Amino acid sequence: LMLISRFAPTAGKREKRAYDDIPDEHPQVLIAGFGRFGQIVARLLSAQKIAFVAIDPDVEQVDFVRRFGNQIYYGDPTHHELLRSAGAARVKVFVVALGDVEQSLAMLRLLRTHYPDAQVLARARDRRHAWQLQDLGAQVFRETFGSSLEMGHDVLVALGMAPQQADERARRFRAFDEQLMEAQRLLQDDEAALQQSARDARLELAELFEADAGKGALGRIVGEKGPE
Protein backbone atom coordinates (compact mmCIF):
# COMPACT_ATOMS: atom_id res chain seq x y z
CA LEU A 1 0.00 0.00 0.00
CA MET A 2 2.86 2.39 0.77
CA LEU A 3 4.46 1.67 -2.62
CA ILE A 4 1.13 2.14 -4.43
CA SER A 5 0.45 5.44 -2.70
CA ARG A 6 3.95 6.61 -3.56
CA PHE A 7 4.01 5.77 -7.26
CA ALA A 8 0.37 5.87 -8.29
CA PRO A 9 -0.94 9.14 -9.86
CA THR A 10 -2.51 11.46 -7.34
CA ALA A 11 -6.28 11.60 -7.79
CA GLY A 12 -7.55 15.01 -8.80
CA LYS A 13 -4.03 16.41 -9.39
CA ARG A 14 -4.09 18.79 -12.34
CA GLU A 15 -1.24 19.29 -14.74
CA LYS A 16 0.31 22.71 -14.42
CA ARG A 17 1.04 24.64 -17.58
CA ALA A 18 1.79 28.19 -18.56
CA TYR A 19 -1.03 30.58 -19.31
CA ASP A 20 -1.82 31.12 -22.98
CA ASP A 21 -0.45 34.09 -24.86
CA ILE A 22 -3.49 36.17 -25.72
CA PRO A 23 -3.23 38.32 -28.85
CA ASP A 24 -4.87 41.72 -28.95
CA GLU A 25 -7.48 41.34 -31.69
CA HIS A 26 -9.37 44.48 -30.63
CA PRO A 27 -12.33 42.77 -28.95
CA GLN A 28 -15.37 44.81 -27.99
CA VAL A 29 -16.18 42.44 -25.12
CA LEU A 30 -13.99 40.51 -22.69
CA ILE A 31 -15.64 37.49 -21.05
CA ALA A 32 -13.96 36.18 -17.89
CA GLY A 33 -15.27 32.71 -17.05
CA PHE A 34 -16.49 30.33 -19.75
CA GLY A 35 -18.86 28.04 -17.91
CA ARG A 36 -22.54 27.75 -18.86
CA PHE A 37 -23.19 31.41 -18.00
CA GLY A 38 -20.32 32.86 -20.02
CA GLN A 39 -20.93 30.52 -22.95
CA ILE A 40 -24.50 31.73 -23.45
CA VAL A 41 -23.29 35.33 -23.59
CA ALA A 42 -20.58 34.29 -26.06
CA ARG A 43 -23.05 32.44 -28.31
CA LEU A 44 -25.26 35.51 -28.54
CA LEU A 45 -22.28 37.73 -29.39
CA SER A 46 -21.05 35.24 -32.00
CA ALA A 47 -24.46 35.23 -33.66
CA GLN A 48 -24.19 39.02 -34.00
CA LYS A 49 -20.56 38.78 -35.24
CA ILE A 50 -19.39 40.91 -32.30
CA ALA A 51 -15.68 40.47 -31.54
CA PHE A 52 -14.94 39.18 -28.04
CA VAL A 53 -12.19 37.39 -26.15
CA ALA A 54 -12.96 34.66 -23.60
CA ILE A 55 -10.62 33.75 -20.73
CA ASP A 56 -11.01 31.04 -18.10
CA PRO A 57 -8.68 30.16 -15.20
CA ASP A 58 -9.65 26.46 -15.19
CA VAL A 59 -7.39 24.55 -17.59
CA GLU A 60 -9.73 21.53 -17.71
CA GLN A 61 -12.69 23.74 -18.63
CA VAL A 62 -10.63 25.41 -21.35
CA ASP A 63 -9.60 22.08 -22.87
CA PHE A 64 -13.17 20.77 -22.65
CA VAL A 65 -14.89 23.66 -24.44
CA ARG A 66 -12.16 23.82 -27.08
CA ARG A 67 -13.23 20.34 -28.16
CA PHE A 68 -16.49 21.91 -29.37
CA GLY A 69 -14.77 24.55 -31.50
CA ASN A 70 -14.82 27.42 -29.02
CA GLN A 71 -11.98 29.94 -29.13
CA ILE A 72 -10.97 30.45 -25.53
CA TYR A 73 -7.75 31.20 -23.69
CA TYR A 74 -6.38 29.74 -20.49
CA GLY A 75 -5.35 32.43 -18.04
CA ASP A 76 -6.06 34.25 -14.80
CA PRO A 77 -8.21 37.33 -15.50
CA THR A 78 -7.27 38.80 -12.11
CA HIS A 79 -3.78 39.54 -13.52
CA HIS A 80 -3.52 42.97 -15.09
CA GLU A 81 -0.77 42.03 -17.56
CA LEU A 82 -2.95 39.29 -19.01
CA LEU A 83 -5.91 41.64 -19.45
CA ARG A 84 -3.70 44.34 -20.94
CA SER A 85 -2.23 41.95 -23.51
CA ALA A 86 -5.76 40.87 -24.49
CA GLY A 87 -6.67 44.47 -25.37
CA ALA A 88 -8.55 45.42 -22.21
CA ALA A 89 -7.75 49.11 -22.65
CA ARG A 90 -10.10 49.26 -25.65
CA VAL A 91 -12.74 46.79 -24.45
CA LYS A 92 -16.22 48.35 -24.29
CA VAL A 93 -17.84 45.84 -21.94
CA PHE A 94 -16.36 43.40 -19.42
CA VAL A 95 -18.45 40.33 -18.58
CA VAL A 96 -17.37 38.82 -15.27
CA ALA A 97 -18.88 35.33 -15.30
CA LEU A 98 -16.37 33.60 -13.01
CA GLY A 99 -17.82 30.87 -10.81
CA ASP A 100 -15.56 31.64 -7.87
CA VAL A 101 -16.85 34.51 -5.71
CA GLU A 102 -13.44 35.70 -4.53
CA GLN A 103 -12.01 35.62 -8.05
CA SER A 104 -14.89 37.69 -9.41
CA LEU A 105 -14.47 40.28 -6.66
CA ALA A 106 -10.71 40.37 -7.24
CA MET A 107 -11.28 41.02 -10.93
CA LEU A 108 -13.76 43.81 -10.17
CA ARG A 109 -11.21 45.48 -7.90
CA LEU A 110 -8.57 45.14 -10.63
CA LEU A 111 -10.86 46.69 -13.22
CA ARG A 112 -11.77 49.56 -10.93
CA THR A 113 -8.06 50.23 -10.29
CA HIS A 114 -6.86 50.16 -13.91
CA TYR A 115 -10.05 50.85 -15.88
CA PRO A 116 -12.22 52.91 -13.50
CA ASP A 117 -14.72 53.94 -16.19
CA ALA A 118 -15.20 50.45 -17.61
CA GLN A 119 -18.71 49.10 -18.06
CA VAL A 120 -18.86 45.82 -16.12
CA LEU A 121 -21.65 43.24 -16.14
CA ALA A 122 -21.16 40.56 -13.51
CA ARG A 123 -22.65 37.20 -12.59
CA ALA A 124 -23.68 36.94 -8.93
CA ARG A 125 -23.96 33.65 -7.05
CA ASP A 126 -26.36 34.98 -4.40
CA ARG A 127 -27.67 38.21 -2.88
CA ARG A 128 -24.63 38.89 -0.72
CA HIS A 129 -22.30 38.40 -3.67
CA ALA A 130 -24.55 40.71 -5.68
CA TRP A 131 -24.27 43.45 -3.06
CA GLN A 132 -20.48 43.18 -3.06
CA LEU A 133 -20.40 43.46 -6.85
CA GLN A 134 -22.76 46.43 -6.77
CA ASP A 135 -20.54 48.16 -4.23
CA LEU A 136 -17.75 47.88 -6.81
CA GLY A 137 -19.92 49.46 -9.49
CA ALA A 138 -20.94 46.40 -11.50
CA GLN A 139 -24.29 45.79 -13.15
CA VAL A 140 -25.37 42.54 -11.53
CA PHE A 141 -27.14 39.48 -12.92
CA ARG A 142 -28.15 36.85 -10.37
CA GLU A 143 -27.40 33.53 -12.02
CA THR A 144 -30.71 31.75 -11.27
CA PHE A 145 -33.12 34.65 -10.74
CA GLY A 146 -34.22 35.17 -14.35
CA SER A 147 -34.76 31.49 -15.16
CA SER A 148 -36.54 30.86 -11.85
CA LEU A 149 -38.86 33.81 -12.42
CA GLU A 150 -39.58 32.60 -15.95
CA MET A 151 -40.52 29.17 -14.58
CA GLY A 152 -42.69 30.76 -11.89
CA HIS A 153 -44.51 32.65 -14.65
CA ASP A 154 -45.15 29.41 -16.53
CA VAL A 155 -46.37 27.72 -13.34
CA LEU A 156 -49.00 30.45 -12.95
CA VAL A 157 -50.12 29.91 -16.55
CA ALA A 158 -50.24 26.13 -16.02
CA LEU A 159 -52.54 26.73 -13.05
CA GLY A 160 -54.98 28.61 -15.26
CA MET A 161 -53.86 32.26 -15.01
CA ALA A 162 -54.08 34.24 -18.24
CA PRO A 163 -50.61 34.71 -19.83
CA GLN A 164 -50.98 38.49 -19.87
CA GLN A 165 -51.82 38.54 -16.16
CA ALA A 166 -48.89 36.19 -15.42
CA ASP A 167 -46.61 38.56 -17.36
CA GLU A 168 -47.75 41.45 -15.18
CA ARG A 169 -47.35 39.47 -11.95
CA ALA A 170 -43.83 38.44 -12.93
CA ARG A 171 -42.95 42.02 -13.89
CA ARG A 172 -44.21 43.36 -10.56
CA PHE A 173 -42.39 40.66 -8.64
CA ARG A 174 -39.13 41.55 -10.41
CA ALA A 175 -39.58 45.25 -9.66
CA PHE A 176 -40.39 44.52 -6.02
CA ASP A 177 -37.40 42.22 -5.59
CA GLU A 178 -34.99 44.69 -7.21
CA GLN A 179 -36.17 47.43 -4.84
CA LEU A 180 -35.78 45.02 -1.92
CA MET A 181 -32.26 44.12 -3.07
CA GLU A 182 -31.22 47.76 -3.00
CA ALA A 183 -32.82 48.38 0.39
CA GLN A 184 -31.17 45.30 1.89
CA ARG A 185 -27.78 46.25 0.45
CA LEU A 186 -27.67 49.05 3.01
CA LEU A 187 -28.30 46.47 5.77
CA GLN A 188 -25.89 43.77 4.56
CA ASP A 189 -23.66 44.00 7.64
CA ASP A 190 -26.57 43.71 10.10
CA GLU A 191 -27.84 40.13 10.12
CA ALA A 192 -30.77 40.82 12.46
CA ALA A 193 -31.94 43.74 10.32
CA LEU A 194 -31.67 41.59 7.19
CA GLN A 195 -33.81 38.85 8.72
CA GLN A 196 -36.46 41.35 9.79
CA SER A 197 -36.38 42.94 6.35
CA ALA A 198 -36.98 39.54 4.72
CA ARG A 199 -39.96 38.86 7.00
CA ASP A 200 -41.44 42.30 6.31
CA ALA A 201 -40.92 41.85 2.57
CA ARG A 202 -42.86 38.57 2.49
CA LEU A 203 -45.86 40.25 4.12
CA GLU A 204 -45.62 43.30 1.88
CA LEU A 205 -45.42 41.19 -1.26
CA ALA A 206 -48.43 39.12 -0.22
CA GLU A 207 -50.45 42.28 0.43
CA LEU A 208 -49.35 43.69 -2.92
CA PHE A 209 -50.83 40.76 -4.83
CA GLU A 210 -53.90 40.61 -2.59
CA ALA A 211 -54.54 44.21 -3.57
CA ASP A 212 -54.52 43.17 -7.24
CA ALA A 213 -57.28 40.69 -6.47
CA GLY A 214 -59.25 43.17 -4.37
CA LYS A 215 -58.49 41.33 -1.14
CA GLY A 216 -56.83 42.37 2.08
CA ALA A 217 -56.32 45.83 3.57
CA LEU A 218 -54.66 47.29 0.49
CA GLY A 219 -57.32 45.81 -1.76
CA ARG A 220 -60.10 47.43 0.27
CA ILE A 221 -58.34 50.80 0.11
CA VAL A 222 -57.86 50.56 -3.66
CA GLY A 223 -61.47 49.44 -4.06
CA GLU A 224 -62.76 52.44 -2.09
CA LYS A 225 -60.51 55.07 -3.69
CA GLY A 226 -59.96 53.53 -7.10
CA PRO A 227 -56.52 52.93 -8.67
CA GLU A 228 -54.04 55.82 -8.60
Side-chain angles (χ1 to χ4, degrees):
L1 289 174
M2 291 174 64
L3 287 172
I4 291 172
S5 63
R6 179 177 178 182
F7 294 108
T10 302
K13 187 176 182 179
R14 296 182 179 183
E15 178 186 357
K16 290 185 177 180
R17 74 181 191 216
Y19 291 142
D20 294 333
D21 293 326
I22 305 178
D24 182 357
E25 298 179 341
H26 309 292
Q28 294 188 58
V29 181
L30 187 149
I31 302 174
F34 211 66
R36 290 172 296 178
F37 201 100
Q39 288 177 47
I40 291 174
V41 176
R43 287 169 58 194
L44 180 59
L45 295 177
S46 294
Q48 312 301 315
K49 294 181 168 51
I50 296 173
F52 68 90
V53 59
I55 305 169
D56 197 287
D58 186 329
V59 66
E60 292 184 358
Q61 177 69 8
V62 169
D63 290 342
F64 176 75
V65 297
R66 277 178 177 168
R67 287 162 48 192
F68 297 91
N70 296 287
Q71 184 173 358
I72 179 175
Y73 296 96
Y74 168 53
D76 186 346
T78 66
H79 289 182
H80 178 232
E81 285 303 312
L82 183 142
L83 294 184
R84 185 183 60 78
S85 68
R90 289 184 294 273
V91 163
K92 294 181 179 179
V93 179
F94 291 89
V95 176
V96 181
L98 295 164
D100 185 88
V101 170
E102 292 306 320
Q103 278 189 327
S104 71
L105 294 174
M107 183 173 178
L108 254 296
R109 296 186 189 101
L110 177 70
L111 293 176
R112 287 300 167 235
T113 298
H114 296 282
Y115 311 104
D117 299 324
Q119 184 174 359
V120 183
L121 281 61
R123 161 195 181 186
R125 296 292 300 272
D126 51 36
R127 294 174 92 87
R128 193 171 296 278
H129 185 205
W131 296 328
Q132 293 172 308
L133 293 168
Q134 287 175 324
D135 288 342
L136 290 167
Q139 183 178 349
V140 172
F141 294 83
R142 286 177 279 165
E143 60 184 20
T144 58
F145 181 72
S147 56
S148 298
L149 186 57
E150 182 178 353
M151 178 181 282
H153 165 277
D154 289 353
V155 169
L156 294 178
V157 173
L159 291 172
M161 183 177 289
Q164 185 176 1
Q165 186 179 12
D167 291 345
E168 177 62 15
R169 295 292 174 90
R171 184 194 65 78
R172 295 188 69 177
F173 181 91
R174 177 184 288 274
F176 179 89
D177 194 73
E178 288 175 351
Q179 291 176 357
L180 179 63
M181 274 281 295
E182 182 57 28
Q184 289 182 332
R185 184 164 72 96
L186 305 176
L187 307 172
Q188 60 183 290
D189 296 324
D190 188 336
E191 190 66 27
L194 275 176
Q195 292 176 6
Q196 185 59 50
S197 173
R199 287 191 289 268
D200 293 343
R202 283 194 291 271
L203 293 174
E204 185 178 348
L205 186 63
E207 288 189 352
L208 178 67
F209 287 121
E210 284 179 353
D212 285 348
K215 301 176 181 178
L218 288 178
R220 287 192 293 274
I221 294 173
V222 171
E224 294 169 1
K225 295 184 177 180
E228 296 183 359

